[in-house]
Amino acid sequence: MNLKNKRLLVVGLCLVMIFSLSGCGDKKEKTYQNYVKSLIAINYLGATEDYINSTGANKADAEALYNENMEHLANNILAYYHVTISDVSDAKKGYIELAKSIYSKVNYKVSPAKKSGDSYTVDVTIYPINIFTQTHDQVLAYVEKFNTEVANGAYNDYTLEQYESTFSDGLLTILNDGCLNMTYADPVVITVTIIEEGDIYYISDEDFLAIDAAMISTAEPISTASPTDAVQ
């Protein structure tokens, strides 16, 4: 069979974020701080209890949100490295577990809300996960070695599925090893504005996308996240 060489694509990671928000009468500085913490916790850590307590969301929906985000990150890692595998394969499950491992290492601090004019703002200090930069040389060497093997006919008897699976397994090993020794880029501070509408409060899509973009350090981030949902 004619197998094409593997190549790396310079595209950013993007995530889908959808969340339910509700207002309450507690002290706003702490309430809004906890709210932003809960958004980060559910989307990246699967901490459904904090999210449910802060927003009144349904547990099943909160867990589904986390699992959807993990699969979305897995899909984007595969796209980042131009890998095609079956959605029901063991390889895909391995990349979903990788996504969970990556996001389990998120490093951030959420400050109490502060009054800014007629609104409240919350500062989020983020140390971007550096896994794709820190493993770049290893991945590049692996891709070059794999391409040499392809050129030498090492995979001529493989089916396309076997070929993709072999490549993705080697890549997965490198990235999992990177998770064990995670490094971080220089911290960035994202300031988000709390939007108040009666008894409802939330942050804008743009503000959450700014948090999202800072979580993982990539060369050229591209975001296609969905709008947030605000409910009472």
Side-chain angles (χ1 to χ4, degrees):
M1 62 186 298
N2 182 20
L3 299 176
K4 295 182 179 179
N5 283 359
K6 285 295 169 189
R7 63 187 185 278
L8 302 185
L9 299 184
V10 183
V11 298
L13 302 179
C14 52
L15 304 175
V16 174
M17 302 295 172
I18 304 173
F19 22 82
S20 299
L21 321 172
S22 64
C24 66
D26 295 339
K27 188 176 180 181
K28 289 185 176 182
E29 289 82 358
K30 188 68 173 178
T31 296
Y32 294 157
Q33 177 190 31
N34 288 339
Y35 159 64
V36 174
K37 282 182 178 179
S38 76
L39 290 182
I40 295 173
I42 181 58
N43 280 286
Y44 302 105
L45 300 172
T48 56
E49 184 175 350
D50 291 342
Y51 182 73
I52 290 168
N53 290 340
S54 177
T55 68
N58 176 280
K59 181 177 181 181
D61 289 342
E63 290 176 345
L65 169 62
Y66 171 71
N67 290 329
E68 181 181 348
N69 286 339
M70 295 306 102
E71 182 167 5
H72 200 74
L73 176 58
N75 287 337
N76 279 281
I77 292 171
L78 292 169
Y80 188 89
Y81 293 111
H82 201 66
V83 178
T84 302
I85 55 177
S86 168
D87 283 342
V88 296
S89 68
D90 288 339
K92 179 63 175 293
K93 294 176 183 177
Y95 278 88
I96 291 174
E97 290 305 311
L98 170 65
K100 292 178 180 179
S101 294
I102 291 173
Y103 276 148
S104 72
K105 303 294 180 68
V106 290
N107 189 353
Y108 63 95
K109 175 184 177 182
V110 181
S111 299
K114 56 189 177 184
K115 188 75 172 176
S116 179
D118 294 332
S119 303
Y120 282 86
T121 61
V122 177
D123 287 341
V124 184
T125 303
I126 299 171
Y127 294 79
I129 290 171
N130 216 24
I131 187 170
F132 300 108
T133 300
Q134 76 184 73
T135 59
H136 174 76
D137 290 345
Q138 289 174 276
V139 170
L140 188 59
Y142 173 66
V143 170
E144 291 176 349
K145 179 177 178 291
F146 194 88
N147 285 340
T148 298
E149 292 172 346
V150 170
N152 291 336
Y155 305 107
N156 286 352
D157 294 333
Y158 281 46
T159 65
L160 181 58
E161 183 176 355
Q162 290 173 326
Y163 165 75
E164 292 288 356
S165 179
T166 299
F167 177 79
S168 69
D169 286 349
L171 178 62
L172 187 60
T173 296
I174 294 171
L175 295 175
N176 276 325
D177 288 345
C179 280
L180 297 177
N181 301 286
M182 187 69 74
T183 64
Y184 298 89
D186 292 337
V188 295
V189 177
I190 306 297
T191 300
V192 301
T193 299
I194 303 297
I195 301 170
E196 298 175 309
E197 295 182 355
D199 292 334
I200 299 172
Y201 60 88
Y202 56 98
I203 65 174
S204 69
D205 300 341
E206 292 77 13
D207 277 353
F208 194 85
L209 291 177
I211 292 174
D212 180 48
M215 283 294 181
I216 297 180
S217 178
T218 55
E220 193 175 317
I222 300 172
S223 183
T224 58
S226 295
T228 60
D229 294 328
V231 299
Q232 292 183 338

